[in-house]
Amino acid sequence: MSIAINEIGTKENSDKTNIARIIEYFDATDLKGQAGTKTWGWCSAYANWVMKSAGYTGTNSGKANSWLNWGNALTEPQYGCLVVTYKNDLYHVGFYAGLGANDLTINLLGGNQTDQVMYQQYYYLKTDVVRYAWPNP
């Protein structure tokens, strides 16, 4: 989680172009070399970069739903585990950072959350979660 936390504040430029660090995130996926050529969501690229930087194997995919079968599934979240959510017909992936204020929501640390790496608080309902997982050893 410390690697993920150290990236807080990395964000897209105001014209939505990707800065060098976000390009590094993309380079950890099958979208290598495509950053800046399209408006891609980059939550999965960030998650892959974090996993690879921590010495784990990610999914190598730029798609958030690629994490649906990744790692060892958890029945309950644990701080720092990977979380896949599904809301408004979109998948998103990030790292579990605790419960929200009302115990119905969760906090995620993720990439491409308001176009940056940040904690997204009180946004995802626990019912939006489709998977919690740890990396395979």
Side-chain angles (χ1 to χ4, degrees):
M1 195 66 165
S2 62
I3 293 169
I5 290 169
N6 284 337
E7 297 299 303
I8 290 173
T10 301
K11 59 184 171 182
E12 294 177 5
N13 295 329
S14 59
D15 64 357
K16 300 289 186 186
T17 59
N18 297 308
I19 63 167
R21 186 56 137 196
I22 297 172
I23 292 169
E24 287 181 41
Y25 300 159
F26 278 102
D27 287 348
T29 72
D30 57 358
L31 297 175
K32 183 175 183 166
Q34 296 184 44
T37 61
K38 296 182 180 180
T39 305
W40 293 101
W42 48 275
C43 62
S44 183
Y46 169 74
N48 271 287
W49 182 89
V50 169
M51 288 297 171
K52 289 180 180 183
S53 296
Y56 296 105
T57 301
T59 66
N60 196 41
S61 173
K63 295 181 179 181
N65 66 352
S66 69
W67 297 89
L68 288 173
N69 296 308
W70 172 89
N72 295 313
L74 300 171
T75 56
E76 293 293 323
Q78 295 180 25
Y79 179 77
C81 74
L82 188 112
V83 179
V84 181
T85 62
Y86 186 73
K87 182 176 183 172
N88 300 326
D89 294 327
L90 295 172
Y91 285 97
H92 183 68
V93 64
F95 299 96
Y96 183 77
L99 289 174
N102 62 11
D103 200 37
L104 297 174
T105 58
I106 62 169
N107 297 331
L108 289 182
L109 172 57
N112 202 30
Q113 297 184 164
T114 316
D115 297 331
Q116 63 184 305
V117 175
M118 65 178 285
Y119 289 103
Q120 188 82 41
Q121 298 180 0
Y122 321 126
Y123 183 69
Y124 290 100
L125 293 171
K126 291 193 298 190
T127 56
D128 295 333
V129 174
V130 292
R131 184 169 175 88
Y132 296 109
W134 281 126
N136 289 319

